[in-house]
Amino acid sequence: MFVLVVLQDTLKIVPSEFRKTRQDALKDEINAKYSNRVLHDIGLCMVVHDLLEIDEGFVQHSEGWIWVKVKFRVIVFRPFADEILVGRIRSASPEGIQVTMGFFDDIQIPADQMPVGSEFNATEGVWVWRFEGNELFLDLDEPIRFRVLDSLFLDVSPPRPKVGGMDSGIPVSHPPPYSLMCSINGDGLGLLSWWE
């Protein structure tokens, strides 16, 4: 679920950070720049793990801060294919279920990856799995175990595609830069309460 990734960057240490040690100032700058940021084909950066190399800093003409080239490792959320994870049901629609893990919300379980015999109940707004004469509801905010099928990255470099627009009255929404396509079609998958 979490991996260590080696990155390299040139970062600045502003004068207000000079009171800190160089390592602490760099870690704070790395966390400010990379935490909760999706790097294309890498994953969701969480927090800096450690610093591997720190070059000598340099000050450019007419600037008061120090530029430092640093090589570091960052903890990244990027589950591998077929990994089993646990989250909570965030929303449901006829297209499928959206799951959240608290820190990551772009987890999709499409309708074709539901257990055989599942259907969307429009009245309740939830999915129902009909199994051996029982109706098992996939209620919102319930803990759910799912299997990762694929990690999807979308290059959202400017200009971002528009969906809707200001004139149409529909708010502009952008597709997520990183999402997971998952399944609950298998033994042990689905709501945790089903398997207790």
Side-chain angles (χ1 to χ4, degrees):
M1 175 167 31
F2 295 102
V3 294
L4 284 175
V5 175
V6 176
L7 299 174
Q8 186 169 320
D9 200 353
T10 302
L11 303 167
K12 69 178 177 182
I13 302 175
V14 296
S16 62
E17 301 292 310
F18 289 170
R19 60 183 165 70
K20 298 179 183 175
T21 66
R22 176 181 254 183
Q23 288 81 8
D24 288 343
L26 287 169
K27 283 183 178 181
D28 289 348
E29 186 65 27
I30 292 167
N31 282 328
K33 184 173 182 178
Y34 288 95
S35 291
N36 203 26
R37 177 177 170 202
V38 172
L39 296 180
H40 190 72
D41 287 334
I42 293 176
L44 175 66
C45 295
M46 303 301 288
V47 67
V48 65
H49 182 264
D50 59 2
L51 304 176
L52 301 175
E53 295 176 15
I54 302 173
D55 287 350
E56 292 292 320
F58 60 92
V59 179
Q60 289 189 347
H61 178 69
S62 75
E63 293 180 346
W65 49 77
I66 299 174
W67 290 96
V68 181
K69 189 174 185 180
V70 61
K71 188 175 188 179
F72 56 95
R73 291 189 299 178
V74 66
I75 298 171
V76 173
F77 173 71
R78 182 171 184 175
F80 54 86
D82 293 326
E83 185 170 359
I84 305 297
L85 301 175
V86 175
R88 290 191 172 273
I89 298 175
R90 182 174 180 207
S91 64
S93 70
E95 289 78 36
I97 292 175
Q98 186 171 7
V99 176
T100 181
M101 294 184 73
F103 63 91
F104 186 71
D105 295 336
D106 296 315
I107 302 169
Q108 309 295 328
I109 302 172
D112 64 337
Q113 293 300 325
M114 299 289 184
V116 175
S118 297
E119 65 181 41
F120 184 70
N121 183 327
T123 308
E124 297 283 334
V126 297
W127 279 82
V128 181
W129 180 31
R130 290 184 171 74
F131 180 72
E132 295 181 355
N134 297 310
E135 287 190 345
L136 303 171
F137 288 83
L138 287 99
D139 292 322
L140 299 182
D141 206 36
E142 286 290 321
I144 187 170
R145 185 178 295 119
F146 54 92
R147 182 171 46 91
V148 176
L149 297 176
D150 197 12
S151 295
L152 306 173
F153 287 93
L154 176 67
D155 186 6
V156 291
S157 302
R160 293 181 73 169
K162 283 191 172 184
V163 179
M166 299 306 281
D167 297 335
S168 66
I170 301 170
V172 175
S173 67
H174 300 285
Y178 175 51
S179 61
L180 298 176
M181 200 59 60
C182 301
S183 173
I184 59 169
N185 189 9
D187 291 339
L189 303 178
L191 293 188
L192 297 184
S193 61
W194 294 352
W195 304 102
E196 292 177 346

